[in-house]
Amino acid sequence: MASNSYAGWGGSEVSVFFTILPPWWRTRVAYALYMLLFVAGVFAIDRFQRRRLVARERLRAEREQARAIASTNSELQRALQHLTETQDQLVHSQKMASLGSLTAGIAHELKNPLNFVNNFAELSSELTGELVDLIEEERERLTPANAHQLKGILDDLRMNTQKINEHGRRADGIIRAMLDHARTQPGGRDAVDLNGLLDEYVNLAFHGMRARVPEFSSAIERKYDGAVGKVEVVPQEIGRVFLNLLDNAFYAVHQKQASTGPDYAPTIWVETTRGEDFVEVRVKDNGPGVPHSVREKIFEPFFTTKPAGSGTGLGLSLGYDIVVKGHGGSLTVESDEPSLSKAGEAAPAKAASGEGAIFVIRLPT
């Protein structure tokens, strides 16, 4: 019921209905929007995680690919190095084979005329001696001046023939070495005690040097691996290689001793080692070493660092052929030019302070 301003009350009743609405953030539309935002957030997080996972997998794949590429590059580098070494060995083998054939032909051509030179030199020397004896018998018929002049001429002639004979024999030795170098038929292989064979040639080379230079002396350090045992080799051929390397080592320390003085202690190291499928022999000296400029040519025929008349330049070349071609092994040199290291200091068979030379023989087992 209601009244007016005059306190009059109406006679009828009136009903009024009203509804209180919730705030906008609690409406159905708002809840629907919340649901849409939640779904959108879940979708966005899922997409983000997926992209992150894909990026992580892509990075892992790229790293694996990089490792695979690096591994492949390393293999290619090793293959290239092996190919280069094989190519160098092939070129060297072909060059050595050509030089061997040429050497054999030259040696055979020179052998006969050289024999005539040596024979006639010996004959001329004998005839000169007979002429001297004849002059002594007929000295009474000659004036003293003529007898003295004839004797002087015959002495000069005898000395000349002796020099011809001496150098002819040296040339004959060179030709024999050339023929040995050109020989392609190796002897039969035997199972030999490599340590014993090497020690035998160490003593032989040392006493050979003492025979040529009586005052020569050198320390010899031996280190033989007992596991080396017996190895299938051609004893005479491998012995020649040992003897040549040891002769060169003794020659090197002798030359350095002559130029250095009493403070220098000549030393030779000889070592054997057994590997997984090979045996290794090392011959080291503390001599003047092998300069880098000649190391690549040291195994070529007729190349030598010795003074004229002291070597033929065929020893190392022949040794290379015996080891590489005849036995399927390798012969290398490890050396640097001389340095100011302490002379005579004991060391293993390894280049100490860049001094001396090491020749390394590897033979397959």
Side-chain angles (χ1 to χ4, degrees), residues 92 95-96 99 103 181 244 248 289-307 310-318 333 359:
H92 184 74
K95 180 168 65 174
M96 297 290 279
L99 285 172
T103 298
H181 187 278
N244 181 265
N248 288 344
V290 181
H292 289 282
S293 57
V294 303
R295 195 180 305 177
E296 294 182 356
K297 300 181 290 184
I298 199 168
F299 295 114
E300 293 182 1
F302 305 107
F303 179 82
T304 180
T305 58
K306 295 179 180 180
S310 298
T312 63
L314 291 172
L316 289 178
S317 174
L318 178 60
V333 58
F359 285 88

Side-chain angles (χ1 to χ4, degrees), residues 254-272:
H254 173 62
Q255 292 297 111
K256 186 170 182 178
Q257 186 181 36
S259 61
T260 303
D263 294 335
Y264 169 70
T267 308
I268 304 295
W269 291 268
V270 184
E271 179 181 346
T272 61

Side-chain angles (χ1 to χ4, degrees), residues 278-347:
F278 65 88
V279 293
E280 186 174 273
V281 178
R282 288 175 170 257
V283 177
K284 177 188 180 297
D285 63 75
N286 62 344
V290 181
H292 289 282
S293 57
V294 303
R295 195 180 305 177
E296 294 182 356
K297 300 181 290 184
I298 199 168
F299 295 114
E300 293 182 1
F302 305 107
F303 179 82
T304 180
T305 58
K306 295 179 180 180
S310 298
T312 63
L314 291 172
L316 289 178
S317 174
L318 178 60
Y320 184 90
D321 279 351
I322 291 173
V323 174
V324 177
K325 295 181 181 179
H327 292 78
S330 65
L331 175 59
T332 56
V333 58
E334 300 175 2
S335 174
D336 290 319
E337 295 183 18
S339 67
L340 299 178
S341 61
K342 187 176 180 181
E345 183 177 356

Side-chain angles (χ1 to χ4, degrees), residues 235-251:
Q236 297 81 2
E237 300 294 324
I238 291 297
R240 293 175 65 187
V241 179
F242 290 161
L243 185 61
N244 181 265
L245 295 182
L246 291 161
D247 278 342
N248 288 344
F250 286 125
Y251 177 84

Side-chain angles (χ1 to χ4, degrees), residues 1-11:
M1 298 175 65
S3 69
N4 56 20
S5 60
Y6 300 102
W9 291 90

Side-chain angles (χ1 to χ4, degrees), residues 165-187:
N165 192 15
E166 176 185 347
H167 289 284
R169 289 183 178 180
R170 180 173 176 272
D172 187 64
I174 295 174
I175 289 178
R176 284 198 301 270
M178 292 168 66
L179 291 173
D180 290 339
H181 187 278
R183 187 177 60 187
T184 58
Q185 297 295 330

Side-chain angles (χ1 to χ4, degrees), residues 131-200:
L131 283 175
V132 171
D133 294 339
L134 183 60
I135 289 175
E136 291 296 331
E137 294 177 358
E138 301 293 333
R139 178 178 290 274
E140 296 178 356
R141 299 183 180 182
L142 298 174
T143 63
N146 289 339
H148 179 74
Q149 184 178 8
L150 284 175
K151 188 176 183 302
I153 293 173
L154 290 176
D155 288 340
D156 292 340
L157 183 59
R158 174 186 288 178
M159 183 180 65
N160 291 341
T161 55
Q162 288 175 350
K163 289 293 182 181
I164 292 173
N165 192 15
E166 176 185 347
H167 289 284
R169 289 183 178 180
R170 180 173 176 272
D172 187 64
I174 295 174
I175 289 178
R176 284 198 301 270
M178 292 168 66
L179 291 173
D180 290 339
H181 187 278
R183 187 177 60 187
T184 58
Q185 297 295 330
R189 295 196 181 195
D190 294 320
V192 298
D193 178 10
L194 197 67
N195 289 339
L197 183 68
L198 176 60
D199 195 62
E200 176 184 348

